[in-house]
């Protein structure tokens, strides 16, 4: 090997070694850059996931803790997020006691004073920190940070028996301040504002998120009955109220802005009222709990509302009883100057029934209650008053049935030639003719039920929502707002439950008695096939009290007691009218009517004329069909 060849091999080796070393250096630098980029990407992803509270599986526990610590240090309210001892402020008047915790800076416990719970405690704890939460989420421009007040610890100041100020302190003078003032009744006024943060908020985000949750406790002895009247209720801005399903899990997204949102049980409610409306597309969720949990439902309201760092956000919260008059007067206590219509939380039925309850039952009930009478006496007096008002119509209706009863022999004699099935139309026409000549309305006997039905339905809605009955005793009934058991057992029986209610049994017995008297009255006036058809109907009427037992066994003793005495008085009135009616005298009057109308025939009008015309038309159609068959 010559010298030149040797030098060539050495140069080639140097080039190869140098290129290899340079390549390794480049690879190392690229790998380091890639690792740094991956770490940065992971860090950014973790910042995003930390806001959503979703951990990254791809990052080790140590790396996750380090990234989280770094993210928290960068936050505006890093110090306010550090763990502290729990502290609280109590706002109290003679109606309600509200406890504000330093973590979150909001009301976490509410006691409604002067109302016992079903366990006998002197006050109703409507919610506490284990059940209820309320938080506000504010979007910040820097690092796309989300400030959630539920994660912050607040300092208290300006504390009196009815006022308090809660302040979360951040960096560079940033503050979130929530000021509270409790009124003389059940209404709490509060507003939230930021200080020293005008440049911190994202100018493209002009809304604030409000998340309110609560698991509503059982407050009454009758869990099933109470749960039937517990609902998440809301009012549309400038519109009416609506609610989620009481009997099943439900989720809604109202299409309109909301005036307020209420977490309601049978007799109590917490209502969140903003000064500015909650924006469209709120998410409302209601979840039903099992009886064994002693919770009725879990409610969630995810809301959005306008937000500006230059303005405070005012709210009001009502925590109190579902008393119609108290709720109606909240408008006068509110600082927002609009019609809140909170009285709609006391559901009084659909429009006709609501009208009866709103303008009659409520005034009578409140008037009798103001006299200091017991609630059982009030229910009896309301029943007597309603019976007195409807008695003239009931008597007129009964007399119409009595006329048909005393005419029955004459009608049977006059229509005995129409015994064949194909002659029934002619028989009906002949009967209508005779009724008209005797001056009798065959539909008059239906009037008592038509008169009483709206009142019955009105009381069906009114009594279960009347908080005045809650805890009130009468005779054997310890609480008129819930069932009165004469027997109870541990394991529920399908269709009956775990008890027998005495007032429900009495209601069914009085219903059976009233049905018997009604069916006997109708039977005494029926002719021919009508009597046989009535036999099938009477079995249905007798089965109704049995059906009512399975429906009303869980209902309040006050409602069952009202139905019991109402039907009992109706039966007594019907029996008394039957005993005091002189059939011979009544028949003589009808005979005089017959002679007058026979000699001076009158043109039929009204329903009787229309029925007769319809019957003639049907008879003519029947004859045409028979002629067509013969052809």
């Amino acid at each position: 090997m010559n010298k030149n060849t040797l030098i060539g091999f050495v140069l080639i080796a140097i080039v190869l070694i140098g290129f290899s070393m340079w390549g390794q250096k480049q690879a190392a630098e690229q790998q380091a850059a890639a690792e740094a980029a991956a770490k940065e990407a992971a860090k950014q992803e973790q910042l995003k996931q930390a806001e959503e509270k979703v951990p990254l599986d791809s990052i080790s526990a140590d790396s996750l803790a380090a990234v989280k610590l770094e993210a928290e240090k960068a936050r505006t309210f890093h110090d306010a997020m550090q763990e502290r001892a729990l502290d609280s402020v109590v706002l109290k008047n003679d109606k309600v006691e509200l406890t504000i915790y330093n973590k979150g800076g909001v009301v976490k416990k509410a006691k409604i004073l002067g109302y016992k719970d079903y366990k006998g405690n002197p006050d109703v704890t409507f919610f506490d920190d284990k059940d209820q939460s309320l938080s506000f989420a504010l979007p910040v421009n820097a690092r796309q940070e989300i400030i959630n007040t539920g994660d912050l610890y607040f300092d208290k100041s300006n504390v009196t028996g009815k006022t308090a100020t809660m302040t979360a302190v951040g960096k560079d003078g940033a503050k979130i301040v929530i000021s509270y003032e409790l009124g003389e009744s059940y209404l709490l006024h509060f507003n939230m504002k930021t200080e020293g943060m005008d440049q911190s908020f994202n100018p493209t985000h002009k809304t604030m998120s409000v998340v309110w949750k609560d698991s509503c406790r059982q407050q009454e002895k009758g869990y099933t009955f109470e749960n039937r009247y517990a609902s998440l209720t809301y009012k549309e801005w400038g519109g009416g109220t609506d609610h989620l399903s009481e009997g099943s899990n439900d989720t809604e997204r109202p299409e309109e802005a909301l005036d307020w949102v209420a977490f309601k049980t049978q007799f109590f409610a917490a209502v969140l009222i903003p000064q500015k409306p909650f924006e469209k597309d709120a998410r409302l969720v209601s979840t039903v709990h099992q009886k064994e949990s002693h919770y009725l439902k879990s409610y969630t309201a995810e809301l959005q509302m306008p937000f500006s760092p230059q303005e405070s956000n005012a709210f009001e919260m009502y925590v109190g009883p579902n008393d119609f008059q108290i709720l109606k007067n909240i408008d006068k206590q509110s600082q927002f100057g609009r019609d809140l219509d909170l009285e709609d939380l006391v559901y009084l039925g659909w429009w006709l029934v609501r009208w009866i309850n709103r303008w009659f039952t409520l005034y009578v009930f409140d008037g009798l209650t103001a006299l200091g009478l017991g609630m059982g006496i009030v229910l009896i007096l309301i029943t007597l008053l309603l019976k007195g008002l409807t008695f003239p119509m009931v008597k007129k209706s009964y007399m119409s049935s009595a006329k048909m009863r005393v005419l029955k022999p004459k009608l049977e004699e006059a229509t005995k030639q129409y015994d064949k099935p194909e002659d029934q139309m002619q028989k009906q026409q002949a009967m209508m003719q005779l009724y008209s000549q005797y001056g009798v309305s065959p539909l008059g006997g239906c009037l008592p039920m038509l008169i009483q039905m709206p009142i019955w339905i009105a009381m069906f809605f009114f009594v279960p929502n009347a908080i005045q009955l809650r805890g009130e005793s009468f005779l054997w009934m310890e609480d008129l707002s819930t069932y009165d058991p004469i027997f109870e057992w541990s394991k529920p029986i399908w269709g009956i439950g775990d008890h027998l209610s005495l007032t429900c049994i009495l209601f069914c017995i009085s219903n059976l008695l009233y049905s018997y008297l009604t069916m006997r009255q109708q039977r005494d006036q029926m002719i021919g096939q009508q009597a046989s058809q009535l036999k099938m109907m009477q079995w249905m009427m007798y089965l109704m009290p049995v059906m009512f037992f399975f429906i009303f066994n869980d209902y309040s003793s006050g409602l069952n007691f009202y139905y019991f005495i109402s039907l009992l008085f109706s039966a007594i009135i019907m029996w008394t009218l039957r005993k005091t009616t002189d059939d011979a005298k009544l028949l003589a009057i009808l005979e005089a009517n017959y002679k007058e109308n026979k000699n001076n025939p009158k043109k039929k009008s009204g329903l009787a004329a229309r029925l007769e015309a319809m019957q003639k038309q049907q008879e003519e159609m029947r004859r045409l069909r028979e002629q067509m068959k013969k052809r």
Side-chain angles (χ1 to χ4, degrees):
M1 182 181 295
N2 59 27
K3 182 180 179 180
N4 292 333
T5 303
L6 181 61
I7 293 172
F9 276 118
V10 171
L11 291 173
I12 292 172
I14 291 172
V15 171
L16 290 174
I17 292 171
F19 183 79
S20 176
M21 292 177 63
W22 180 81
Q24 289 179 357
K25 182 180 179 181
Q26 291 293 320
E29 291 177 353
Q30 291 177 357
Q31 182 177 356
E35 290 177 356
K39 288 182 178 180
E40 181 64 23
K43 188 184 297 184
Q44 293 297 325
E45 182 66 17
Q46 174 55 24
L47 287 173
K48 180 180 177 182
Q49 296 290 344
E51 297 298 340
E52 300 175 356
K53 299 183 179 180
V54 179
L56 288 177
D57 297 335
S58 59
I59 301 178
S60 66
D62 292 339
S63 299
L64 180 61
V67 171
K68 184 176 181 180
L69 180 60
E70 184 178 347
E72 288 180 353
K73 287 182 178 179
R75 290 184 173 184
T76 306
F77 288 89
H78 165 68
D79 293 340
M81 294 177 63
Q82 302 310 301
E83 193 76 22
R84 302 184 197 176
L86 286 177
D87 195 6
S88 62
V89 176
V90 176
L91 307 181
K92 184 178 180 180
N93 56 27
D94 60 349
K95 304 290 186 182
V96 67
E97 178 182 303
L98 306 175
T99 304
I100 303 169
Y101 283 24
N102 61 336
K103 185 171 185 182
V106 295
V107 177
K108 290 290 187 71
K109 185 176 182 180
K111 279 188 177 182
I112 303 172
L113 308 180
Y115 293 91
K116 292 182 179 180
D117 65 12
Y118 76 103
K119 295 181 180 179
N121 297 315
D123 303 311
V124 167
T125 299
F126 192 68
F127 59 74
D128 61 19
D129 61 309
K130 295 180 293 185
D131 305 329
Q132 189 260 12
S133 65
L134 174 63
S135 62
F136 306 92
L138 310 175
V140 181
N141 189 30
R143 299 173 301 281
Q144 297 183 347
E145 180 183 351
I146 300 293
I147 300 174
N148 191 322
T149 59
D151 298 330
L152 305 182
Y153 284 84
F154 288 72
D155 300 321
K156 61 184 179 181
S157 62
N158 190 32
V159 177
T160 68
K162 295 182 181 179
T163 64
T165 300
M166 308 298 292
T167 305
V169 180
K171 295 180 179 180
D172 303 322
K175 294 180 181 179
I176 297 177
V177 182
I178 309 177
S179 302
Y180 293 93
E181 180 184 358
L182 179 61
E184 297 299 321
S185 186
Y186 299 96
L187 195 63
L188 175 69
H189 312 275
F190 67 100
N191 69 79
M192 186 192 72
K193 64 180 180 179
T194 61
E195 296 179 2
M197 300 180 66
D198 290 2
Q199 305 302 318
S200 299
F201 291 95
N202 190 335
T204 62
H205 289 79
K206 298 181 180 181
T207 59
M208 172 179 67
S209 296
V210 182
V211 179
W212 188 26
K213 298 181 180 181
D214 187 21
S215 294
C216 284
R217 300 179 176 190
Q218 177 184 352
Q219 304 291 355
E220 316 303 324
K221 181 173 75 172
Y223 170 87
T224 303
F225 190 63
E226 182 186 9
N227 211 2
R228 189 177 288 117
Y229 292 91
S231 65
L232 193 161
T233 305
Y234 59 92
K235 180 180 182 293
E236 294 181 347
W237 187 265
T241 58
D242 202 350
H243 62 273
L244 273 62
S245 171
E246 299 99 334
S248 60
N249 299 342
D250 194 10
T251 300
E252 286 191 13
R253 287 187 175 271
E255 297 180 355
E256 302 296 330
L258 301 183
D259 199 348
W260 46 257
V261 175
F263 294 167
K264 174 182 176 294
T265 63
Q266 182 181 4
F267 291 124
F268 304 99
V271 188
L272 185 61
I273 310 163
Q275 184 176 27
K276 306 170 187 175
F278 294 124
E279 294 186 344
K280 298 178 181 180
D281 202 32
R283 182 172 179 266
L284 307 176
V285 182
S286 175
T287 305
V288 181
H289 287 286
Q290 297 298 317
K291 182 177 181 179
E292 295 75 18
S293 69
H294 298 292
Y295 284 89
L296 304 173
K297 295 179 176 74
S298 286
Y299 299 135
T300 298
E302 297 175 0
L303 310 160
Q304 300 286 331
M305 64 179 303
F307 172 77
S308 171
Q310 289 82 27
E311 300 178 3
S312 63
N313 292 269
F315 297 87
E316 291 175 338
M317 178 179 281
Y318 173 88
V319 183
N322 296 331
D323 185 301
F324 188 91
Q325 299 299 346
I326 291 175
L327 291 167
K328 189 173 182 294
N329 289 328
I330 290 297
D331 288 355
K332 300 177 182 178
Q333 304 170 32
S334 174
Q335 298 174 354
F336 298 157
R338 66 177 188 264
D339 293 333
L340 297 173
D341 296 327
L342 291 184
E343 63 269 21
D344 287 350
L345 290 172
V346 182
Y347 185 61
L348 298 178
W350 40 272
W351 69 271
L352 175 60
V353 171
R354 179 178 177 81
W355 188 89
I356 295 172
N357 282 329
R358 176 67 183 87
W359 302 108
F360 175 78
T361 314
L362 269 171
Y363 283 104
V364 173
F365 189 84
D366 290 343
L368 293 174
T369 303
L371 297 176
L373 302 174
M375 291 298 105
I377 299 297
V378 169
L379 289 175
I380 293 175
L381 291 178
I382 288 177
T383 305
L384 290 174
L385 176 61
L386 292 173
K387 293 301 177 186
L389 290 174
T390 59
F391 179 75
M393 292 178 286
V394 170
K395 183 178 180 181
K396 184 177 181 180
S397 175
Y398 173 82
M399 294 308 296
S400 178
S401 298
K403 291 174 183 178
M404 295 173 67
R405 184 184 72 246
V406 298
L407 283 177
K408 180 180 177 180
K410 292 185 175 294
L411 290 173
E412 287 179 336
E413 179 65 24
T415 60
K416 63 182 180 180
Q417 67 270 30
Y418 304 116
D419 286 338
K420 297 180 181 178
E422 60 270 18
D423 295 334
Q424 291 306 305
M425 185 65 68
Q426 292 176 292
K427 185 173 185 177
Q428 289 293 328
Q429 291 177 358
M431 289 173 59
M432 292 297 296
Q433 177 71 19
L434 288 171
Y435 282 142
S436 178
Q437 290 174 339
Y438 280 103
V440 176
S441 172
L443 298 180
C446 302
L447 193 58
M449 185 59 69
L450 296 177
I451 294 170
Q452 296 182 69
M453 190 58 67
I455 297 173
W456 267 50
I457 297 174
M459 295 300 289
F460 177 83
F461 287 107
F462 177 81
V463 173
N465 288 294
I467 194 172
Q468 293 84 351
L469 297 178
R470 186 178 186 273
E472 293 293 323
S473 61
F474 182 66
L475 299 177
W476 68 90
M477 296 165 281
E478 296 180 357
D479 186 348
L480 289 168
S481 69
T482 188
Y483 60 84
D484 56 322
I486 52 172
F487 295 109
E488 291 184 277
W489 49 89
S490 58
K491 190 174 181 180
I493 298 175
W494 183 86
I496 298 178
D498 56 5
H499 65 273
L500 288 178
S501 173
L502 178 56
T503 50
C504 179
I505 294 173
L506 292 175
F507 159 46
C508 293
I509 292 173
S510 63
N511 194 1
L512 189 64
L513 174 62
Y514 180 73
S515 298
Y516 168 75
L517 294 175
T518 302
M519 297 305 295
R520 187 182 71 171
Q521 179 174 308
Q522 292 182 4
R523 184 179 63 247
D524 290 345
Q525 66 190 43
M526 295 298 179
I527 299 171
Q529 287 189 348
Q530 292 179 339
S532 60
Q533 293 172 356
L534 185 64
K535 291 181 179 179
M536 295 183 63
M537 186 183 296
Q538 76 179 16
W539 283 110
M540 294 177 60
M541 294 293 292
Y542 292 150
L543 284 174
M544 282 183 64
V546 179
M547 295 171 58
F548 282 148
F549 169 76
F550 292 104
I551 296 172
F552 284 86
N553 191 45
D554 267 328
Y555 274 61
S556 68
S557 57
L559 182 63
N560 279 320
F561 180 69
Y562 167 77
Y563 283 156
F564 161 60
I565 56 177
S566 178
L567 283 168
L568 183 62
F569 285 145
S570 294
I572 292 172
I573 290 171
M574 187 175 295
W575 180 84
T576 303
L577 288 172
R578 178 67 180 263
K579 289 296 182 180
T580 56
T581 300
D582 189 335
D583 289 0
K585 185 177 179 180
L586 182 60
L587 182 59
I589 296 173
L590 295 175
E591 290 288 2
N593 290 341
Y594 178 78
K595 291 179 181 178
E596 180 180 354
N597 293 333
K598 188 175 181 181
N599 297 328
N600 301 292
K602 298 178 181 178
K603 182 180 178 181
K604 298 183 183 67
S605 60
L607 181 60
R610 289 193 295 270
L611 286 173
E612 184 172 341
M614 185 172 62
Q615 290 171 349
K616 289 180 177 180
Q617 185 178 11
Q618 291 176 348
E619 178 66 19
E620 184 64 26
M621 291 177 64
R622 185 183 68 81
R623 289 176 179 174
L624 289 174
R625 284 196 298 268
E626 291 178 354
Q627 291 176 2
M628 293 292 292
K629 289 179 181 179
K630 292 178 180 179
R631 292 179 183 178

